[in-house]
Amino acid sequence: MSAPVLLEVAKVMAKGQITLPRDIRQKLSVETGDRVALIWDTDRVVMMNPALYAMRMLQAEMVGKAEEAGFPDEDSVTDYVTEMRREARRA
């Protein structure tokens, strides 16, 4: 991960609103009406795509679960998922 870079400072308005600078909007690929996730991390706020945040949370939650379920490696998990999909199509 690269070092953080301060791109611009935003001013907080009366209702707590800020305007995201154009460079930030472009880097996040956000447009009018899009949502962003704001995550409090110790002494900073991280802004990111909510779907990406949800996926990262899910991945963190799943660490070690395959081993606990008795799958020795990733190929075993892939094989299991493939078989479950086949069974679902047959049903």
Side-chain angles (χ1 to χ4, degrees):
M1 187 167 150
S2 60
V5 176
L6 177 64
L7 295 177
E8 197 165 330
V9 175
K11 181 178 179 180
V12 178
M13 304 307 283
K15 294 183 178 182
Q17 297 171 323
I18 63 169
T19 298
L20 295 178
R22 181 182 12 231
D23 290 349
I24 299 284
R25 292 192 311 266
Q26 289 173 342
K27 288 181 186 304
L28 289 173
S29 297
V30 296
E31 298 175 2
T32 301
D34 289 349
R35 294 185 178 272
V36 295
L38 302 173
I39 300 101
W40 177 255
D41 181 18
T42 310
D43 62 348
R44 64 187 178 151
V45 174
V46 178
M47 181 183 330
M48 62 191 309
N49 179 308
L52 179 60
Y53 176 70
M55 181 57 72
R56 287 187 181 173
M57 295 301 294
L58 177 61
Q59 288 172 331
E61 200 58 39
M62 296 303 294
V63 169
K65 299 297 183 187
E67 293 83 7
E68 289 176 18
F71 295 102
D73 54 34
E74 268 190 56
D75 289 337
S76 298
V77 174
T78 302
D79 293 344
Y80 178 78
V81 169
T82 300
E83 182 57 31
M84 292 296 102
R85 287 179 178 162
R86 280 188 195 127
E87 288 183 20
R89 282 192 292 259
R90 285 184 220 138

